[in-house]
Amino acid sequence: MLTSKDFRDQAIKLIKNWNNIIDEIPWQWNQINELNNESKGYFTTKRYHKINNNNNNNNNNNNNNNNNNYSNNEKFEEIKETIDDSSSTIIKSNNNNNNNNNNENNIIIFQFDIIYSKSYQVPVLYLNGFSSFDSSPLSWNEIWNNLPLSNLDKNQQSTIPYITQVEHPILGNPCYQLHPCETDNLMKLILLKEKDDEKDKKEYFKDYYLLSWLSIIGPMVNIKIPFDLLKNNAE
């Protein structure tokens, strides 16, 4: 079980450590002060991805073929040269102006918010996808086809989180949620393997729960965990 205080403390620590290693597209903590004076918040980030045009033309009937070629033909690559201003996201381009519109059409933006669930007492990941060209929301198929989660073995679907469309619990807009129903069981299994002593388990929950969870969930949705972050945790 993860408490709301542990979630906040670990999130702020994780954000600081992560941004110290990779600061091009930082995480940030959004503080929310409610009417009952209860203080809470969530952490958030964006990821910019360039769609591979060769894969862009594939349809759902070619999923098996995509799975076989995925390791050699990734659907997207992270766009590191980005600038955020108050009204829009500007994507740098090394190409000439005539190619700018085509380049922007091939770039999608993933928005990730991680929020504590009081009901499940675990972190929950919410995501959305947008076109960088006009900020229009992507369809579910466009989002799904650009998530590594869609390339996992269909026979193992029961062991991975499933995604549902929900209302964002803080912002109120439609978004997609990695359902948290199995998160607690998953984390308990990890702790059983990592720690034998009950005291060590409690300390692990208090200090490293969030990073361990994100190291499992993140790669499924295009959040690449910095190696140095995991290395420092293991030391």
Side-chain angles (χ1 to χ4, degrees):
M1 181 183 72
L2 184 71
T3 68
S4 59
K5 182 181 183 304
D6 287 342
F7 172 79
R8 181 183 182 279
D9 292 345
Q10 289 184 39
I12 292 174
K13 179 181 178 181
L14 179 60
I15 290 169
K16 179 181 178 181
N17 292 339
W18 190 307
N19 292 347
N20 283 339
I21 296 171
I22 299 178
D23 62 358
E24 289 115 335
I25 312 176
W27 288 87
Q28 67 181 40
W29 176 261
N30 289 342
Q31 186 68 31
I32 306 295
N33 294 315
E34 296 188 324
L35 295 177
N36 59 2
N37 293 324
E38 180 183 358
S39 179
K40 69 175 185 178
Y42 65 100
F43 61 116
T44 181
T45 191
K46 294 178 181 178
R47 289 294 181 271
Y48 302 79
H49 293 283
K50 185 174 182 180
I51 302 173
N52 187 323
N53 286 328
N54 291 331
N55 286 331
N56 224 13
N57 297 323
N58 292 335
N59 57 35
N60 291 334
N61 293 328
N62 294 326
N63 277 342
N64 290 334
N65 190 43
N66 285 344
N67 288 342
N68 292 334
N69 295 326
Y70 181 73
S71 60
N72 296 321
N73 280 315
E74 292 184 340
K75 288 183 179 178
F76 37 70
E77 62 184 25
E78 189 166 22
I79 304 303
K80 292 185 176 180
E81 291 188 324
T82 59
I83 303 174
D84 284 338
D85 65 17
S86 58
S87 60
S88 64
T89 300
I90 304 171
I91 309 294
K92 289 182 180 179
S93 174
N94 293 325
N95 297 323
N96 58 48
N97 292 333
N98 292 332
N99 292 328
N100 280 348
N101 287 344
N102 289 334
N103 289 337
E104 290 185 3
N105 282 333
N106 289 334
I107 295 172
I108 58 177
I109 304 171
F110 284 107
Q111 173 75 41
F112 299 106
D113 296 333
I114 297 177
I115 303 172
Y116 180 75
S117 169
K118 286 184 179 180
S119 301
Y120 289 93
Q121 297 180 306
V122 297
V124 183
L125 186 141
Y126 297 84
L127 65 94
N128 251 326
F130 304 92
S131 164
S132 66
F133 180 66
D134 58 5
S135 298
S136 60
L138 302 181
S139 68
W140 167 241
N141 283 339
E142 289 173 312
I143 293 175
W144 175 252
N145 289 335
N146 285 286
L147 293 178
L149 186 62
S150 67
N151 290 280
L152 295 181
D153 188 345
K154 297 293 187 296
N155 294 325
Q156 297 178 359
Q157 289 289 338
S158 60
T159 64
I160 60 177
Y162 61 91
I163 300 178
T164 55
Q165 186 173 31
V166 297
E167 180 181 285
H168 195 287
I170 294 176
L171 303 179
N173 57 285
C175 61
Y176 297 95
Q177 171 202 67
L178 265 70
H179 202 278
C181 60
E182 291 298 324
T183 299
D184 188 51
N185 291 333
L186 174 64
M187 296 307 296
K188 285 178 179 177
L189 287 174
I190 293 174
L191 286 179
L192 286 174
K193 292 181 179 180
E194 292 284 342
K195 304 293 178 183
D196 295 324
D197 185 82
E198 193 65 31
K199 183 178 179 181
D200 288 342
K201 290 180 182 180
K202 290 180 180 180
E203 289 299 318
Y204 194 87
F205 257 88
K206 186 176 180 180
D207 296 329
Y208 302 114
Y209 182 106
L210 207 52
L211 178 58
S212 297
W213 169 79
L214 193 56
S215 68
I216 298 171
I217 297 299
M220 298 182 185
V221 293
N222 295 323
I223 300 176
K224 300 176 182 179
I225 313 299
F227 175 75
D228 286 344
L229 193 66
L230 298 174
K231 180 181 176 182
N232 292 340
N233 177 46
E235 292 176 349

